[in-house]
Amino acid sequence: MIRITARIALDERDFEESFILASGPGGQNVNKVATAVQLRYPIDRAGLPEDMRARLETLAGQRLTKDGVLVITAREHRSQERNRAEALARLVDLFQRAAVAPKKRRPTRATLGSKIRRLDSKSKRSSVKRLRGSTGDD
C-alpha cells in the first residue's frame, strides 16, 4: 500500500504497468529494449472523497481517460527501473497535490487611508497633465 494521506492509500495491485520503446538517448539500446514505462491506475479503486476526486481530475487533465484511468508515461531515463520509480513518484505527487484543499478566499476591503492616498495621487497626476496642456494663448 502506498500512503497518500492518513486516510487514503493506493493498493499496488491496482497498478498496471506496460513497457514501451522510448525515444531519446541510449544509442542502439533504445531500438531494442523497452525502457519507457506506462503506468495505468483506475481512480475509481482509490475510494477518494468527491472533492478530492474533482481536484484530481482537474490536475490530471489529458492524462485521465474517459474510462477514469490515469495514465502516466515516464521515459526520461535509460533504465526501466528508474522510469518505473519516476512514474510512481509522479502518480503519488499528483494524488498528494489533489489531497490539499485550496484555501478559501476571504474578500477584504480597502482601508480609508489607502482610498485617500489613491485619490490624492489621481488628483496630483490630473493637475500635472492639466498644466502640460495648451495655455489658450494661441
Side-chain angles (χ1 to χ4, degrees), residues 14-76:
D14 294 335
F15 295 135
E16 187 180 309
E17 288 180 336
S18 58
F19 298 98
I20 53 178
L21 290 176
S23 60
Q28 293 296 315
N29 196 43
V30 79
N31 299 324
K32 297 184 290 187
V33 182
T35 55
V37 65
Q38 196 171 56
L39 188 66
R40 296 173 159 272
Y41 186 77
I43 61 172
D44 293 336
R45 295 202 184 144
L48 303 175
E50 201 57 42
D51 57 337
M52 183 178 166
R53 182 187 169 105
R55 286 192 300 270
L56 180 66
E57 288 174 359
T58 304
L59 286 171
Q62 291 185 344
R63 292 176 286 191
L64 190 66
T65 65
K66 291 178 183 170
D67 303 330
V69 177
L70 186 61
V71 180
I72 295 182
T73 305
R75 61 180 67 196
E76 286 87 36

Side-chain angles (χ1 to χ4, degrees), residues 7 37 46 53 66-67 71 84 88 96 112 115 118:
R7 283 183 267 148
V37 65
R53 182 187 169 105
K66 291 178 183 170
D67 303 330
V71 180
R84 178 186 281 161
L88 191 58
Q96 286 175 340
L112 180 62
K115 288 179 184 176
R118 181 178 60 85

Side-chain angles (χ1 to χ4, degrees), residues 2-19:
I2 299 171
R3 179 103 6 231
I4 303 296
T5 64
R7 283 183 267 148
I8 298 169
L10 306 178
D11 192 0
E12 294 174 9
R13 293 175 292 197
D14 294 335
F15 295 135
E16 187 180 309
E17 288 180 336
S18 58
F19 298 98

Side-chain angles (χ1 to χ4, degrees), residues 102-109:
K103 289 183 178 178
K104 289 262 188 188
R105 183 190 177 278
R106 289 180 23 201
T108 58
R109 292 179 56 189

